Amino acid sequence: MAFKRRARAIRADHPHHEPHTPSHPLERLIFFSDAVFAIAITLLIIEIQPPDLPRGASVHDQLQALVNLAPHFLGFFISFGVIGAFWVGHHRAFSFAHHWSPKLVFPNMLLLCAIAFMPFSTSYMNANAWQLVPTAFYAAVLLITSLLNIWLVHRATAPGVADEKSDARLIIRTRSRGWAVATGAALALVIAFVSPVWSQPSLSTIPLWLRLYGRIADRRADAMFAPEGT
Amino acid sequence: MAFKRRARAIRADHPHHEPHTPSHPLERLIFFSDAVFAIAITLLIIEIQPPDLPRGASVHDQLQALVNLAPHFLGFFISFGVIGAFWVGHHRAFSFAHHWSPKLVFPNMLLLCAIAFMPFSTSYMNANAWQLVPTAFYAAVLLITSLLNIWLVHRATAPGVADEKSDARLIIRTRSRGWAVATGAALALVIAFVSPVWSQPSLSTIPLWLRLYGRIADRRADAMFAPEGT
Amino acid sequence: MAFKRRARAIRADHPHHEPHTPSHPLERLIFFSDAVFAIAITLLIIEIQPPDLPRGASVHDQLQALVNLAPHFLGFFISFGVIGAFWVGHHRAFSFAHHWSPKLVFPNMLLLCAIAFMPFSTSYMNANAWQLVPTAFYAAVLLITSLLNIWLVHRATAPGVADEKSDARLIIRTRSRGWAVATGAALALVIAFVSPVWSQPSLSTIPLWLRLYGRIADRRADAMFAPEGT
Amino acid sequence: MAFKRRARAIRADHPHHEPHTPSHPLERLIFFSDAVFAIAITLLIIEIQPPDLPRGASVHDQLQALVNLAPHFLGFFISFGVIGAFWVGHHRAFSFAHHWSPKLVFPNMLLLCAIAFMPFSTSYMNANAWQLVPTAFYAAVLLITSLLNIWLVHRATAPGVADEKSDARLIIRTRSRGWAVATGAALALVIAFVSPVWSQPSLSTIPLWLRLYGRIADRRADAMFAPEGT
């Protein structure tokens, strides 16, 4: 009996080791996802071809060649930020997840597929900056990615997967973040049809949506969990 | 004595730490495999070259260029699904594995070699869509991969490697999955010689084989483990 | 009570499992960083195109083609050393970190962005060896990377993140290392404008700065933590 | 006191958590190495360009294009085997390592540098199959890699790093393996100068050296650890 109690005490610190369940499936899913995120984010750079200048090129020509790459650099930084933000969101959502569920596999795989697609849409956008179709394509891929992200975050923080001791308020707030990114992507898609040049800059409204939706989530949580004694 | 018993209780939660055995070899094998799967699945995208349109290209031309890439996108999604499915199978099989065996190394390395080969056969297929040789080549690589997968799954769930507490029925069912993928790949290979266009679509029969073989496996398990009291 | 005490004893060995905190966020950050470092360092090689010689090329021609690649090989080894050194620094700094802090995410992401950028600045430098702009660009990217590194190392070893039992002297010494790399990079940047050929070789002064700054750090630590009894 | 004893019992199962030492440095080194091995082994494939056939190419032409790639496929499989074998060696050597030592960092980094270089020497070899310089270059890189490997394996299994409970016979045997690979690489290098075509095939003698050196190691171990009672 003492043996059993002790084993349980230890298990509490290793929440993924559930009794009668194969060990580690959740950690392996997270691990695989991290690797895909890391590869996609690092592959972004190999799409940029360095200029190959003739031996005696003047400093002016050398600088000009670098300046010509500016949209590529900008595209790299934007997509690095985008993939990085999705990774942070994945990290945040799965920090609640303590129990394995096979239901996580499919939405996670679809999200990773969308993330692995980002180097293409980035490179396509960079090679044809500010044209209608590539700009709309980039925003559309981002919108699909953010919707898949919402789906996955929902499953990773759902009852049965999330740690029972998780703060329900934090879960509501975390879920609201996905909608903020989706709103920014939808805005960028609409603007692409009006004025492609302003499509990517409109992604910079995402922090505003994050704050707005965060407040709404807090209020909703306040209503749901009225403080004790009121 | 109490000391020893306690240590054993803890060890039960860390099945890979076997007494008198170097620690972690199984986890490192899984880790390395995950990394190879993740890289192969993410490299698929860099095979697709984005179209580089002239500055003033019409929206129609831009859309046309994107539509021309359709077979490449389709190839990306199919191969992403294929590698993803093999990863899920690896994940499922190794969730049973609790004891290290050097016998896992060779079949695992061969499977990873076949997985690492997928970006080539995908890109070869995409560049020459629906021609006989590339289509048959793709299906043949897939068939070899699925046979290596069957071999590895067998070893990872074999007595001496699998957790002693594993559900024997689940192991029988897991092993049956590998045969379903192999059947789909064999069918795609045969059809490639008849009508290359229908080779890849025939992979969509895999879910049917999964269900069929799953039922056969369940029946076989029923026969082997007749319910107590009969 | 005994139950609780035991759980705490175990927790002491798993410092990242803090009570009432989602598990593993620190390990996942480290893991993701390792993957990005590993990919960036390995991608360096794919920038080097192997010479493709005609069938009957003489041994002399074959050797000449290899010798022509010398600046590329040199660039590969320098950048491998640079990324490797940043990884070692990350490894050293995070070996002190025992508590998760969301403040780590942003500087870590920026450092990874700079690391992911290295294959580009390496390849740009290699393709245009010893010209002013590419040389200064390489040194400038390195300087920015080293400043981001200083920022991150500071946060990873700050109170609230660092293990309370960490040796304060070691932390002071670790932080001093970042400044040594930044000094070498700043020197390389200045020299790029004077004589591009000597810019990268001047990075070899970094070990000197490491020793010098290490001594200064030790003295500062001596002053701060005067030995007991004086 | 009981508290302390218990903590020590747990620590015995987590050998990398040494008291007063930052946690996990060994695991992170292994992790980073695994990622570099995995990326290098998977990048091998992207060096092979798939043939791009005209729409109406005959089956004969399609097969011919595939056959022309045969040396590339062979090169891929040989290098996959080589990197895979070094990974298995790393895995085996570090399964003995239980204590962190900063002395591991430098030889490990050098080995990883040689591994990351493999996609280049493979692709160089493939593009110029059976010519003297590329063949000798490939064998020379392999020889350097195997010497770095010997150095690292030695450090990872040295007293102070290796688990005190490690079987000394197994360590002697493990170390002998590195010399077998080095012998094969040295032979391939010598043969490259005599007859380039036979250089890579001579690597297939490595299993023979493994067996031979293994026996010598066993005899040496027998002499050192004469059975008790003799």
CSV table of all heavy atoms in Angstrom, one decimal, chain A residues 6 10-11 17 22 24-25 28 31-32 35 39 109 113 116 120 123-124 127-129 131 133-134 137, chain B residues 6 10 13 27 30-31 34 38-39 45 50-55 62 66 73 80 84 87 90-91 95:
chain,number,residue,atom,x,y,z
A,6,ARG,N,3.3,5.9,-2.7
A,6,ARG,CA,4.5,6.6,-3.1
A,6,ARG,C,4.6,6.7,-4.7
A,6,ARG,O,4.8,7.8,-5.2
A,6,ARG,CB,5.7,5.8,-2.6
A,6,ARG,CG,6.8,6.6,-2.0
A,6,ARG,CD,7.8,5.8,-1.3
A,6,ARG,NE,7.3,5.4,0.0
A,6,ARG,CZ,7.4,4.2,0.5
A,6,ARG,NH1,7.8,3.2,-0.2
A,6,ARG,NH2,7.0,4.0,1.8
A,10,ILE,N,4.9,10.2,-7.0
A,10,ILE,CA,5.8,10.5,-8.0
A,10,ILE,C,5.1,10.8,-9.4
A,10,ILE,O,5.5,11.7,-10.1
A,10,ILE,CB,6.8,9.3,-8.2
A,10,ILE,CG1,7.6,9.1,-6.9
A,10,ILE,CG2,7.7,9.4,-9.4
A,10,ILE,CD1,8.1,7.7,-6.7
A,11,ARG,N,4.1,10.0,-9.6
A,11,ARG,CA,3.4,10.1,-10.9
A,11,ARG,C,2.8,11.6,-11.0
A,11,ARG,O,2.7,12.1,-12.1
A,11,ARG,CB,2.3,9.1,-11.0
A,11,ARG,CG,1.9,8.8,-12.4
A,11,ARG,CD,1.0,7.6,-12.4
A,11,ARG,NE,1.7,6.3,-12.2
A,11,ARG,CZ,1.3,5.3,-11.5
A,11,ARG,NH1,0.2,5.4,-10.7
A,11,ARG,NH2,2.0,4.2,-11.4
A,17,HIS,N,2.8,10.3,-17.5
A,17,HIS,CA,2.9,8.9,-17.2
A,17,HIS,C,1.6,8.4,-16.6
A,17,HIS,O,1.5,8.3,-15.3
A,17,HIS,CB,4.0,8.6,-16.3
A,17,HIS,CG,5.4,8.6,-17.0
A,17,HIS,ND1,6.4,9.2,-16.5
A,17,HIS,CD2,5.8,8.0,-18.1
A,17,HIS,CE1,7.5,9.1,-17.3
A,17,HIS,NE2,7.1,8.4,-18.3
A,22,PRO,N,0.5,3.9,-22.5
A,22,PRO,CA,1.9,4.0,-23.0
A,22,PRO,C,2.5,5.4,-22.6
A,22,PRO,O,1.8,6.4,-22.6
A,22,PRO,CB,1.8,3.9,-24.5
A,22,PRO,CG,0.4,3.4,-24.8
A,22,PRO,CD,-0.5,3.7,-23.6
A,24,HIS,N,4.7,8.9,-22.5
A,24,HIS,CA,5.3,9.9,-23.3
A,24,HIS,C,4.6,10.3,-24.6
A,24,HIS,O,5.2,11.1,-25.3
A,24,HIS,CB,6.7,9.6,-23.7
A,24,HIS,CG,7.7,9.5,-22.6
A,24,HIS,ND1,7.8,10.5,-21.6
A,24,HIS,CD2,8.6,8.5,-22.2
A,24,HIS,CE1,8.7,10.1,-20.8
A,24,HIS,NE2,9.2,9.0,-21.1
A,25,PRO,N,3.4,9.8,-25.0
A,25,PRO,CA,2.9,10.2,-26.3
A,25,PRO,C,2.8,11.7,-26.4
A,25,PRO,O,3.0,12.2,-27.5
A,25,PRO,CB,1.6,9.5,-26.4
A,25,PRO,CG,1.2,9.1,-25.0
A,25,PRO,CD,2.5,8.9,-24.3
A,28,ARG,N,6.2,13.4,-27.1
A,28,ARG,CA,6.7,13.1,-28.4
A,28,ARG,C,6.0,14.0,-29.5
A,28,ARG,O,6.6,14.4,-30.4
A,28,ARG,CB,6.5,11.6,-28.7
A,28,ARG,CG,7.7,11.1,-29.5
A,28,ARG,CD,7.5,9.7,-30.0
A,28,ARG,NE,8.1,9.6,-31.3
A,28,ARG,CZ,8.1,8.5,-32.0
A,28,ARG,NH1,7.6,7.4,-31.6
A,28,ARG,NH2,8.7,8.5,-33.2
A,31,PHE,N,7.5,17.4,-29.1
A,31,PHE,CA,8.8,17.3,-29.6
A,31,PHE,C,8.8,17.4,-31.2
A,31,PHE,O,9.5,18.2,-31.8
A,31,PHE,CB,9.5,16.1,-29.2
A,31,PHE,CG,10.8,15.9,-29.8
A,31,PHE,CD1,11.9,16.4,-29.1
A,31,PHE,CD2,11.0,15.4,-31.0
A,31,PHE,CE1,13.2,16.3,-29.6
A,31,PHE,CE2,12.2,15.3,-31.6
A,31,PHE,CZ,13.3,15.8,-30.9
A,32,PHE,N,8.0,16.6,-31.8
A,32,PHE,CA,7.9,16.5,-33.3
A,32,PHE,C,7.5,17.9,-33.8
A,32,PHE,O,8.0,18.4,-34.8
A,32,PHE,CB,7.0,15.4,-33.7
A,32,PHE,CG,6.8,15.3,-35.1
A,32,PHE,CD1,7.8,14.8,-35.9
A,32,PHE,CD2,5.6,15.6,-35.7
A,32,PHE,CE1,7.6,14.6,-37.3
A,32,PHE,CE2,5.4,15.5,-37.1
A,32,PHE,CZ,6.4,15.0,-37.9
A,35,ALA,N,10.2,20.5,-33.7
A,35,ALA,CA,11.2,20.3,-34.7
A,35,ALA,C,10.7,20.8,-36.1
A,35,ALA,O,11.4,21.5,-36.8
A,35,ALA,CB,11.5,18.8,-34.9
A,39,ILE,N,12.4,23.9,-38.1
A,39,ILE,CA,13.0,23.7,-39.5
A,39,ILE,C,12.3,24.7,-40.4
A,39,ILE,O,13.0,25.4,-41.2
A,39,ILE,CB,12.7,22.3,-40.0
A,39,ILE,CG1,13.4,21.3,-39.1
A,39,ILE,CG2,13.2,22.1,-41.4
A,39,ILE,CD1,12.8,19.9,-39.1
A,109,MET,N,-1.3,17.8,-36.9
A,109,MET,CA,-0.6,17.5,-38.2
A,109,MET,C,-1.0,18.6,-39.2
A,109,MET,O,-0.2,19.0,-40.0
A,109,MET,CB,-1.0,16.1,-38.6
A,109,MET,CG,0.0,15.3,-39.3
A,109,MET,SD,1.7,15.4,-38.5
A,109,MET,CE,2.2,13.7,-38.4
A,113,CYS,N,1.4,21.1,-41.2
A,113,CYS,CA,1.4,21.2,-42.6
A,113,CYS,C,1.3,22.7,-43.1
A,113,CYS,O,2.1,23.1,-44.0
A,113,CYS,CB,0.2,20.4,-43.2
A,113,CYS,SG,0.2,20.2,-45.0
A,116,ALA,N,4.7,24.3,-42.4
A,116,ALA,CA,5.7,23.8,-43.3
A,116,ALA,C,5.5,24.5,-44.7
A,116,ALA,O,6.4,24.6,-45.5
A,116,ALA,CB,5.7,22.3,-43.5
A,120,PHE,N,7.2,28.5,-48.5
A,120,PHE,CA,6.8,28.7,-49.9
A,120,PHE,C,6.0,30.0,-50.1
A,120,PHE,O,6.3,30.8,-50.9
A,120,PHE,CB,5.9,27.5,-50.4
A,120,PHE,CG,5.3,27.8,-51.8
A,120,PHE,CD1,6.1,27.6,-52.9
A,120,PHE,CD2,4.0,28.3,-51.9
A,120,PHE,CE1,5.6,27.9,-54.2
A,120,PHE,CE2,3.5,28.6,-53.2
A,120,PHE,CZ,4.3,28.4,-54.3
A,123,SER,N,8.3,32.9,-49.9
A,123,SER,CA,9.2,33.1,-51.0
A,123,SER,C,8.5,33.5,-52.2
A,123,SER,O,8.9,34.3,-53.0
A,123,SER,CB,9.9,31.7,-51.2
A,123,SER,OG,10.2,31.5,-52.5
A,124,TYR,N,7.2,33.1,-52.4
A,124,TYR,CA,6.3,33.5,-53.5
A,124,TYR,C,6.0,34.9,-53.4
A,124,TYR,O,6.1,35.7,-54.3
A,124,TYR,CB,5.1,32.6,-53.4
A,124,TYR,CG,4.0,32.9,-54.5
A,124,TYR,CD1,4.3,33.2,-55.8
A,124,TYR,CD2,2.7,32.9,-54.1
A,124,TYR,CE1,3.3,33.4,-56.7
A,124,TYR,CE2,1.7,33.2,-55.0
A,124,TYR,CZ,2.0,33.5,-56.3
A,124,TYR,OH,1.0,33.7,-57.2
A,127,ALA,N,9.2,37.1,-54.0
A,127,ALA,CA,9.6,37.2,-55.4
A,127,ALA,C,8.7,38.1,-56.3
A,127,ALA,O,9.0,38.5,-57.4
A,127,ALA,CB,9.7,35.8,-56.0
A,128,ASN,N,7.5,38.3,-55.7
A,128,ASN,CA,6.5,39.1,-56.5
A,128,ASN,C,5.8,40.1,-55.6
A,128,ASN,O,4.6,40.2,-55.5
A,128,ASN,CB,5.4,38.2,-57.0
A,128,ASN,CG,6.0,37.0,-57.8
A,128,ASN,OD1,6.4,37.1,-58.9
A,128,ASN,ND2,6.0,35.8,-57.1
A,129,ALA,N,6.6,40.9,-54.9
A,129,ALA,CA,6.2,41.8,-53.8
A,129,ALA,C,5.0,42.7,-54.3
A,129,ALA,O,5.1,43.3,-55.3
A,129,ALA,CB,7.3,42.6,-53.2
A,131,GLN,N,2.1,42.3,-55.4
A,131,GLN,CA,1.2,42.0,-56.5
A,131,GLN,C,0.0,41.4,-55.8
A,131,GLN,O,0.1,40.8,-54.8
A,131,GLN,CB,1.8,41.1,-57.5
A,131,GLN,CG,3.0,41.7,-58.2
A,131,GLN,CD,3.4,41.1,-59.5
A,131,GLN,OE1,2.5,40.6,-60.2
A,131,GLN,NE2,4.7,41.0,-59.8
A,133,VAL,N,-2.2,38.7,-56.5
A,133,VAL,CA,-2.4,37.3,-56.2
A,133,VAL,C,-1.4,36.8,-55.1
A,133,VAL,O,-1.9,36.1,-54.1
A,133,VAL,CB,-2.3,36.4,-57.5
A,133,VAL,CG1,-2.4,35.0,-57.2
A,133,VAL,CG2,-3.3,36.9,-58.5
A,134,PRO,N,-0.1,37.0,-55.2
A,134,PRO,CA,0.8,36.5,-54.1
A,134,PRO,C,0.4,37.1,-52.7
A,134,PRO,O,0.5,36.4,-51.7
A,134,PRO,CB,2.2,37.0,-54.6
A,134,PRO,CG,2.1,37.3,-56.0
A,134,PRO,CD,0.7,37.7,-56.2
A,137,PHE,N,-2.6,35.4,-51.6
A,137,PHE,CA,-2.3,34.0,-51.3
A,137,PHE,C,-1.6,33.9,-49.9
A,137,PHE,O,-2.0,33.0,-49.1
A,137,PHE,CB,-1.3,33.5,-52.4
A,137,PHE,CG,-1.0,32.0,-52.3
A,137,PHE,CD1,-1.9,31.1,-52.7
A,137,PHE,CD2,0.2,31.6,-51.7
A,137,PHE,CE1,-1.5,29.7,-52.7
A,137,PHE,CE2,0.5,30.3,-51.6
A,137,PHE,CZ,-0.3,29.3,-52.1
B,6,ARG,N,11.9,1.5,-2.7
B,6,ARG,CA,11.5,2.8,-3.2
B,6,ARG,C,12.1,3.1,-4.6
B,6,ARG,O,11.5,3.5,-5.5
B,6,ARG,CB,12.0,3.9,-2.2
B,6,ARG,CG,11.0,4.9,-1.9
B,6,ARG,CD,11.4,5.7,-0.7
B,6,ARG,NE,11.1,5.1,0.6
B,6,ARG,CZ,11.9,4.9,1.6
B,6,ARG,NH1,13.2,5.3,1.5
B,6,ARG,NH2,11.5,4.4,2.7
B,10,ILE,N,10.2,4.0,-8.2
B,10,ILE,CA,10.5,5.1,-9.1
B,10,ILE,C,10.8,4.6,-10.4
B,10,ILE,O,10.3,5.1,-11.4
B,10,ILE,CB,11.6,6.0,-8.5
B,10,ILE,CG1,11.2,6.6,-7.2
B,10,ILE,CG2,12.1,7.0,-9.5
B,10,ILE,CD1,12.3,6.9,-6.2
B,13,ASP,N,8.3,4.0,-13.0
B,13,ASP,CA,7.8,5.2,-13.8
B,13,ASP,C,8.7,5.6,-14.9
B,13,ASP,O,8.4,6.4,-15.7
B,13,ASP,CB,7.5,6.4,-12.8
B,13,ASP,CG,6.1,6.2,-12.2
B,13,ASP,OD1,6.0,5.3,-11.3
B,13,ASP,OD2,5.2,6.9,-12.6
B,27,GLU,N,15.0,6.4,-25.7
B,27,GLU,CA,14.5,7.7,-26.0
B,27,GLU,C,15.3,8.4,-27.0
B,27,GLU,O,14.8,9.2,-27.8
B,27,GLU,CB,14.5,8.5,-24.6
B,27,GLU,CG,13.7,7.9,-23.6
B,27,GLU,CD,13.0,8.9,-22.7
B,27,GLU,OE1,13.2,10.1,-22.9
B,27,GLU,OE2,12.4,8.5,-21.7
B,30,ILE,N,14.2,7.3,-30.4
B,30,ILE,CA,13.0,7.9,-30.8
B,30,ILE,C,13.2,9.4,-31.2
B,30,ILE,O,12.7,9.9,-32.2
B,30,ILE,CB,12.0,7.8,-29.6
B,30,ILE,CG1,11.5,6.3,-29.4
B,30,ILE,CG2,10.8,8.7,-29.8
B,30,ILE,CD1,10.7,6.1,-28.2
B,31,PHE,N,14.0,10.0,-30.4
B,31,PHE,CA,14.3,11.4,-30.6
B,31,PHE,C,14.9,11.6,-32.0
B,31,PHE,O,14.5,12.5,-32.8
B,31,PHE,CB,15.3,11.9,-29.5
B,31,PHE,CG,15.7,13.3,-29.8
B,31,PHE,CD1,15.0,14.3,-29.2
B,31,PHE,CD2,16.7,13.6,-30.6
B,31,PHE,CE1,15.3,15.6,-29.5
B,31,PHE,CE2,17.1,14.9,-30.9
B,31,PHE,CZ,16.4,15.9,-30.3
B,34,ASP,N,12.3,11.1,-34.7
B,34,ASP,CA,11.4,12.3,-34.8
B,34,ASP,C,12.1,13.4,-35.6
B,34,ASP,O,11.4,14.0,-36.4
B,34,ASP,CB,11.1,12.8,-33.4
B,34,ASP,CG,10.0,12.1,-32.8
B,34,ASP,OD1,9.4,11.1,-33.4
B,34,ASP,OD2,9.6,12.4,-31.6
B,38,ALA,N,10.7,14.9,-39.0
B,38,ALA,CA,10.3,16.3,-39.1
B,38,ALA,C,11.1,17.0,-40.2
B,38,ALA,O,10.5,17.8,-40.9
B,38,ALA,CB,10.7,17.0,-37.7
B,39,ILE,N,12.4,16.7,-40.4
B,39,ILE,CA,13.1,17.3,-41.5
B,39,ILE,C,12.6,16.9,-42.8
B,39,ILE,O,12.4,17.7,-43.7
B,39,ILE,CB,14.6,17.0,-41.3
B,39,ILE,CG1,15.1,17.5,-40.0
B,39,ILE,CG2,15.4,17.7,-42.4
B,39,ILE,CD1,16.3,16.8,-39.5
B,45,ILE,N,8.6,21.0,-49.0
B,45,ILE,CA,8.2,22.3,-49.6
B,45,ILE,C,9.2,23.0,-50.4
B,45,ILE,O,8.9,23.7,-51.4
B,45,ILE,CB,7.6,23.3,-48.5
B,45,ILE,CG1,6.7,24.4,-49.1
B,45,ILE,CG2,8.8,23.9,-47.7
B,45,ILE,CD1,5.5,23.9,-49.6
B,50,PRO,N,8.6,28.9,-56.3
B,50,PRO,CA,7.5,29.8,-56.6
B,50,PRO,C,7.7,30.5,-57.9
B,50,PRO,O,8.8,30.7,-58.4
B,50,PRO,CB,7.7,30.9,-55.5
B,50,PRO,CG,9.1,30.7,-55.0
B,50,PRO,CD,9.6,29.3,-55.3
B,51,PRO,N,6.6,30.7,-58.6
B,51,PRO,CA,6.7,31.4,-59.9
B,51,PRO,C,7.2,32.8,-59.7
B,51,PRO,O,6.8,33.5,-58.8
B,51,PRO,CB,5.2,31.4,-60.5
B,51,PRO,CG,4.4,31.2,-59.3
B,51,PRO,CD,5.2,30.5,-58.2
B,52,ASP,N,8.0,33.3,-60.7
B,52,ASP,CA,8.6,34.6,-60.6
B,52,ASP,C,8.0,35.4,-61.8
B,52,ASP,O,8.4,35.3,-62.9
B,52,ASP,CB,10.1,34.5,-60.7
B,52,ASP,CG,10.8,35.8,-60.3
B,52,ASP,OD1,10.1,36.8,-60.2
B,52,ASP,OD2,12.0,35.7,-60.0
B,53,LEU,N,7.0,36.2,-61.5
B,53,LEU,CA,6.2,36.9,-62.5
B,53,LEU,C,6.9,38.3,-62.8
B,53,LEU,O,7.4,38.9,-61.9
B,53,LEU,CB,4.8,37.2,-62.1
B,53,LEU,CG,4.0,35.8,-61.8
B,53,LEU,CD1,2.9,36.1,-60.9
B,53,LEU,CD2,3.6,35.3,-63.1
B,54,PRO,N,6.7,38.8,-64.1
B,54,PRO,CA,7.2,40.1,-64.4
B,54,PRO,C,6.3,41.1,-63.6
B,54,PRO,O,5.2,40.8,-63.3
B,54,PRO,CB,7.0,40.2,-65.9
B,54,PRO,CG,6.0,39.2,-66.3
B,54,PRO,CD,6.2,38.1,-65.3
B,55,ARG,N,6.9,42.3,-63.4
B,55,ARG,CA,6.3,43.4,-62.6
B,55,ARG,C,4.8,43.6,-63.0
B,55,ARG,O,3.9,43.5,-62.1
B,55,ARG,CB,7.1,44.7,-62.8
B,55,ARG,CG,7.3,45.7,-61.7
B,55,ARG,CD,8.0,45.2,-60.5
B,55,ARG,NE,7.0,44.7,-59.5
B,55,ARG,CZ,6.9,45.2,-58.3
B,55,ARG,NH1,7.6,46.2,-57.9
B,55,ARG,NH2,6.0,44.7,-57.5
B,62,GLN,N,-1.1,35.8,-63.2
B,62,GLN,CA,-0.7,35.5,-61.9
B,62,GLN,C,-1.4,34.2,-61.4
B,62,GLN,O,-0.8,33.3,-60.8
B,62,GLN,CB,-0.9,36.6,-60.9
B,62,GLN,CG,0.0,37.8,-61.1
B,62,GLN,CD,-0.3,39.0,-60.2
B,62,GLN,OE1,-0.6,38.7,-59.0
B,62,GLN,NE2,-0.3,40.2,-60.6
B,66,LEU,N,-0.1,30.2,-60.7
B,66,LEU,CA,-0.4,29.4,-59.4
B,66,LEU,C,-1.1,28.1,-59.7
B,66,LEU,O,-0.8,27.1,-59.2
B,66,LEU,CB,-1.3,30.3,-58.5
B,66,LEU,CG,-1.2,30.1,-57.0
B,66,LEU,CD1,0.2,30.3,-56.6
B,66,LEU,CD2,-2.1,31.1,-56.3
B,73,PHE,N,1.5,21.2,-55.5
B,73,PHE,CA,0.8,21.3,-54.2
B,73,PHE,C,0.2,20.0,-53.8
B,73,PHE,O,0.3,19.6,-52.7
B,73,PHE,CB,-0.3,22.4,-54.3
B,73,PHE,CG,0.2,23.8,-54.4
B,73,PHE,CD1,-0.5,24.8,-55.1
B,73,PHE,CD2,1.4,24.2,-53.9
B,73,PHE,CE1,0.0,26.1,-55.3
B,73,PHE,CE2,1.9,25.5,-54.0
B,73,PHE,CZ,1.2,26.4,-54.7
B,80,PHE,N,3.1,14.8,-47.5
B,80,PHE,CA,3.0,15.3,-46.1
B,80,PHE,C,2.2,14.3,-45.4
B,80,PHE,O,2.5,13.8,-44.3
B,80,PHE,CB,2.5,16.7,-46.1
B,80,PHE,CG,2.7,17.3,-44.7
B,80,PHE,CD1,3.7,18.2,-44.6
B,80,PHE,CD2,1.9,17.1,-43.6
B,80,PHE,CE1,4.0,18.8,-43.3
B,80,PHE,CE2,2.1,17.7,-42.4
B,80,PHE,CZ,3.2,18.6,-42.3
B,84,GLY,N,3.5,11.9,-42.5
B,84,GLY,CA,2.8,12.1,-41.3
B,84,GLY,C,2.2,10.8,-40.8
B,84,GLY,O,2.3,10.5,-39.6
B,87,TRP,N,4.9,8.7,-39.3
B,87,TRP,CA,5.3,9.2,-38.0
B,87,TRP,C,4.3,8.7,-37.0
B,87,TRP,O,4.6,8.3,-35.9
B,87,TRP,CB,5.4,10.7,-38.0
B,87,TRP,CG,5.8,11.2,-36.7
B,87,TRP,CD1,7.0,11.1,-36.1
B,87,TRP,CD2,4.9,11.7,-35.7
B,87,TRP,NE1,7.0,11.6,-34.8
B,87,TRP,CE2,5.7,12.0,-34.5
B,87,TRP,CE3,3.6,12.0,-35.6
B,87,TRP,CZ2,5.1,12.5,-33.3
B,87,TRP,CZ3,3.0,12.5,-34.5
B,87,TRP,CH2,3.8,12.8,-33.4
B,90,HIS,N,4.9,5.2,-36.2
B,90,HIS,CA,6.1,5.0,-35.4
B,90,HIS,C,5.8,5.4,-33.9
B,90,HIS,O,6.2,4.7,-33.0
B,90,HIS,CB,7.2,6.0,-35.9
B,90,HIS,CG,8.6,5.7,-35.5
B,90,HIS,ND1,9.1,6.2,-34.4
B,90,HIS,CD2,9.6,5.0,-36.1
B,90,HIS,CE1,10.4,5.7,-34.3
B,90,HIS,NE2,10.7,5.0,-35.3
B,91,HIS,N,5.1,6.5,-33.8
B,91,HIS,CA,4.6,7.0,-32.5
B,91,HIS,C,3.8,6.0,-31.8
B,91,HIS,O,4.0,5.7,-30.6
B,91,HIS,CB,3.8,8.3,-32.7
B,91,HIS,CG,3.4,9.0,-31.5
B,91,HIS,ND1,2.2,8.7,-30.9
B,91,HIS,CD2,3.8,10.1,-30.8
B,91,HIS,CE1,2.0,9.5,-29.8
B,91,HIS,NE2,3.0,10.3,-29.8
B,95,SER,N,5.1,3.6,-28.5
B,95,SER,CA,4.4,3.9,-27.3
B,95,SER,C,4.3,2.5,-26.5
B,95,SER,O,4.1,2.6,-25.3
B,95,SER,CB,3.1,4.5,-27.5
B,95,SER,OG,2.2,3.6,-28.0
